[in-house]
Amino acid sequence: MSSLVSVIIPTFGKPERLKYAIDSVLVQDYSPLEIIIVDDNGEGTENQIETQKIINNYLSKVNNLKYICHATNKNGSVARNTGIKEAKGEYIALLDDDDVFSPEKITRQVQAIGSLGGEYRACYVSFSIFFPDGRKKNVITYSHPDVSLGILNRSLDIPSSSLMFTKSAWEKIGGFDESFNRHQDWEFIVRLGIICEFINVPSISMDRIICRRNSPKDPETALIYREHFLRKMKKYISNYSRVIQKEIKYIHRIDIIIEYIKNRKYYRAFILLLTSGKPFLAVVQIYKRMHNYRKNLKGVTLVDSKKHS
């Protein structure tokens, strides 16, 4: 008998794409599945009422769907933990409410993760990114010898909707760290990488929809979130050589400098640049990153405008 997979969909804000996320699970070519939707808007809010109307259309038709509503807004980490606690599946798949699965995603991941031998296992897939202007970029992931390091040094991109793991692994590491309002998926995967055997599925199996509704508008806030991540990761970063430790900190500093530049806060960017440890190299890296970002935006126009708009 096939293993039950629990798909956890945390939702917050206007549920503009929630229906597409749910529908992408319902058309999976794998069974058995259960869907657990965790509404983090807070009971009685306008967005919660709108979300529940959407969910009510499914509850009478779909037996394996459960809706949980937080009394007040907490955060995405809490919402994911709430859903996983209720999950009955051996395997957990995460799905953000604005992303969608390809119909074969769950089957591909269950087959891949089932080929591993240990109790604590995890899997990630390649994906497509759809930008707000309607252009597309494919991200082909690869097998990494150290997934934790790949996340820490930003060489490996594993969106939460790309991830599947055993529930026992989530229990082992104590779930998501609920102090995180951002970068909780990075933090979670770093800890998951310490105990799990990971396997990559190179086939593109999900669509990641960039809407930036939860991205901090102020680079000062982005800096606070990133510093919180680095503080929490300090004990894991310290396990690597001093050279790697410095490189990790440098890479994250570059990320923040770019945020200040994008927001035209050049003086603050200049100060961070001077204290980066490699100011001249940093200028070259920033130029390359921003040039490649613009270059990567060149892509394929969306075919299904209703699905991704």
Side-chain angles (χ1 to χ4, degrees), residues 106-123:
I106 299 297
T107 294
R108 288 170 177 166
Q109 288 195 287
V110 170
Q111 289 175 348
I113 205 170
S115 70
L116 303 177
E119 179 182 358
Y120 307 126
R121 292 164 283 149
C123 176

Side-chain angles (χ1 to χ4, degrees), residues 250 254 278-286:
Y250 169 74
I254 295 296
K278 304 176 186 177
F280 296 108
L281 180 60
V283 170
V284 175
Q285 292 293 328
I286 290 167

Side-chain angles (χ1 to χ4, degrees), residues 231-247:
R231 279 195 303 272
K232 285 282 189 172
M233 293 292 97
K234 187 174 181 180
K235 66 179 179 180
Y236 302 107
I237 295 172
S238 66
N239 292 327
Y240 296 99
S241 69
R242 294 182 68 84
V243 171
I244 293 177
Q245 291 180 44
K246 288 182 179 179
E247 188 64 21

Side-chain angles (χ1 to χ4, degrees), residues 18-52:
L18 179 59
K19 179 181 183 299
Y20 301 121
I22 297 170
D23 288 347
S24 77
V25 182
L26 295 178
V27 298
Q28 289 296 300
D29 62 7
Y30 179 91
S31 65
L33 291 170
E34 68 171 354
I35 304 171
I36 300 176
I37 300 166
V38 182
D39 189 336
D40 194 40
N41 284 298
E43 289 180 351
T45 61
E46 181 179 346
N47 288 330
Q48 186 272 319
I49 293 170
E50 189 176 347
T51 298
Q52 187 156 17

Side-chain angles (χ1 to χ4, degrees), residues 120-184:
Y120 307 126
R121 292 164 283 149
C123 176
Y124 56 97
V125 299
S126 296
F127 54 96
S128 296
I129 299 176
F130 289 87
F131 295 92
D133 63 2
R135 285 180 286 185
K136 170 186 173 184
K137 174 188 174 184
N138 291 334
V139 177
I140 307 301
T141 53
Y142 62 97
S143 298
H144 198 291
D146 185 343
V147 167
S148 297
L149 179 59
I151 297 298
L152 289 169
N153 68 13
R154 307 287 284 117
S155 64
L156 188 59
D157 191 2
I158 306 178
S160 55
S161 298
S162 161
L163 195 61
M164 177 183 285
F165 48 89
T166 56
K167 185 174 181 180
S168 61
W170 172 84
E171 292 169 340
K172 177 70 174 178
I173 67 173
F176 281 85
D177 185 328
E178 297 183 355
S179 71
F180 278 74
N181 290 306
R182 190 150 180 83
H183 308 314
Q184 63 264 32

Side-chain angles (χ1 to χ4, degrees), residues 77-91:
S77 299
V78 179
R80 289 186 175 109
N81 283 339
T82 295
I84 298 171
K85 285 174 187 175
E86 294 292 321
K88 297 180 176 65
E90 177 184 0
Y91 300 129

